[in-house]
Amino acid sequence: MEKESQAVLSASAGDDSLVPAVYENRTKGLRKERLSFHYTSLEKPSELCRCQVIIRDVSHVGSHVSNYLNANTEEQWLTIGTAITPIDCYVELLLQQMLTNEESRCTIETKTNEVSFTMKLLRIDDHKYYYQLSFTEMLELVKRYKENGVKMFPKYPLFAHAYFNRAVKCLLSWSVTEEPEATGSKEEVRSLLETLYLNISACLIKQNRYDEVPHVLQYTNAQEIPSTKATYRKALAHYMLKQFPEAIATLQKIDYASSKECVALHKQIIQVRQQDDSNYNTMVKKMFG
């Protein structure tokens, strides 16, 4: 008990040892250096909260789009999980490493430059965790994550992918819920999950991660007539992996003739497969005369 009292007393006096002098995430190019800290709480911002912050001395934002760093006022409220630009997503990640009344110099290393700013966390409000949400609140959150991902996909597919993944994890965490309100929404949840998986498959294709697409879209295996989009993306992945029989079989599960994309893909698969067979026969003739 004596040691605990000493720790609280030390912290209340503003013990900087509670906050590391430097935090770094080299993979994402993030860094924050502690400038000052006055102890009030050991809580960090959760993935579901609002934070009152002061952001000042912003430099080298350049052409990067940011709603947080280009605000008209230094003091503002940020809601974690609402960022729709890469820079703002990184600002949220840095903020989640801070304690109340901490001020730090933050840097975000981009492909073209290093964005820097000073951020102070003043207050945390609406502090919640996923397990504390009702089913209705969880569903609203999932839809928000999905919409954020849809907005980011055209320019920032990697960040869209992260939002879609987060939404799926939230939904799956409630897949066995016994809440009465959840029971009546099973069809909505199923449809939302399929949409998210479809969106994730698009992100994977953008990243050339074709081997993961059939796994993400495996829910279509149990469907008598899968959607045209899911069929096309799954067949495309098989094609890019040179799994031609699987690609043809996937297309044949639907009336692919009614889709221009599917027809063009089917024609391309046949042509490449015939070319591969021809090349193989030529090689055999050369080897064995």
Side-chain angles (χ1 to χ4, degrees), residues 33-51:
E33 184 174 349
R34 184 194 68 224
L35 299 178
S36 66
F37 173 65
H38 301 288
Y39 174 82
T40 55
S41 169
L42 290 178
E43 274 193 325
K44 289 184 177 180
S46 68
E47 289 183 302
L48 304 172
C49 70
R50 294 170 67 244
C51 298

Side-chain angles (χ1 to χ4, degrees), residues 9-18 37-39:
L9 179 63
S10 177
S12 64
D15 189 356
D16 284 346
S17 65
L18 291 172
F37 173 65
H38 301 288
Y39 174 82

Side-chain angles (χ1 to χ4, degrees), residues 127-143:
H127 208 303
K128 281 188 176 182
Y129 296 93
Y130 289 133
Y131 68 86
Q132 295 175 310
L133 299 180
S134 68
F135 177 77
T136 300
E137 289 173 326
M138 179 66 78
L139 208 55
E140 291 176 357
L141 180 65
V142 167
K143 290 177 181 178

Side-chain angles (χ1 to χ4, degrees), residues 62-188:
S63 60
H64 299 295
V65 180
S66 172
N67 296 316
Y68 297 159
L69 302 185
N70 290 328
N72 295 326
T73 176
E74 289 186 349
E75 189 173 308
Q76 56 185 297
W77 283 94
L78 308 185
T79 300
I80 302 295
T82 61
I84 54 173
T85 72
I87 291 295
D88 288 348
C89 286
Y90 288 138
V91 171
E92 288 187 7
L93 289 177
L94 286 165
L95 183 56
Q96 287 179 270
Q97 298 301 320
M98 298 181 71
L99 296 178
T100 305
N101 280 329
E102 174 190 342
E103 184 173 31
S104 290
R105 186 65 183 172
C106 303
T107 57
I108 302 170
E109 189 175 342
T110 72
K111 292 180 179 179
T112 55
N113 62 347
E114 190 175 84
V115 178
S116 61
F117 55 96
T118 297
M119 180 160 59
K120 182 174 183 178
L121 175 56
L122 301 177
R123 181 180 173 187
I124 302 174
D125 264 7
D126 301 333
H127 208 303
K128 281 188 176 182
Y129 296 93
Y130 289 133
Y131 68 86
Q132 295 175 310
L133 299 180
S134 68
F135 177 77
T136 300
E137 289 173 326
M138 179 66 78
L139 208 55
E140 291 176 357
L141 180 65
V142 167
K143 290 177 181 178
R144 188 181 83 195
Y145 286 161
K146 181 178 79 72
E147 289 307 311
N148 288 352
V150 169
K151 289 176 183 177
M152 297 193 78
F153 179 76
K155 291 185 177 180
Y156 319 113
L158 283 174
F159 293 87
H161 191 177
Y163 268 127
F164 295 143
N165 279 347
R166 204 183 305 178
V168 166
K169 288 177 181 178
C170 289
L171 272 186
L172 291 179
S173 70
W174 282 91
S175 62
V176 293
T177 183
E178 296 297 327
E179 289 189 38
E181 58 182 328
T183 304
S185 303
K186 284 184 178 179
E187 182 59 31
E188 182 181 6

